Amino acid sequence: MGVMRSVRFLFKAPLILAFLFAINLMTSPGHWWVQWPALGLGIAWVISLFRVMRAVVLAGGLAAVAAILMRR
């Protein structure tokens, strides 16, 4: 369940950031407040990416073990 939320976040976060960037351009182009949400979203995005990568490596390792056991 947590991995699927992380996968969805990997696609949602850039869209959220693009939306915030557009709001920043329209409301206050001289003041870039969007950098702070971008920092927070970027940190959360990297954490989600590592969570997904860990799940993929674990699933691949389990698939490899299952393939080895099935061959015997």
Side-chain angles (χ1 to χ4, degrees):
M1 172 116 172
V3 175
M4 287 309 294
R5 287 179 69 180
S6 294
V7 170
R8 280 194 302 263
F9 183 73
L10 290 178
F11 292 99
K12 280 185 187 179
L15 296 175
I16 293 168
L17 190 56
F19 181 67
L20 290 175
F21 182 75
I23 290 173
N24 192 162
L25 272 178
M26 290 186 283
T27 58
S28 55
H31 179 66
W32 293 103
W33 54 261
V34 76
Q35 65 188 348
W36 302 113
L39 177 65
L41 282 171
I43 291 169
W45 193 88
V46 169
I47 291 169
S48 292
L49 179 65
F50 284 141
R51 184 175 294 148
V52 170
M53 287 174 45
R54 183 181 65 194
V56 168
V57 168
L58 180 64
L62 290 175
V65 168
I68 290 171
L69 291 176
M70 293 297 284
R71 209 179 325 169
R72 289 183 178 185

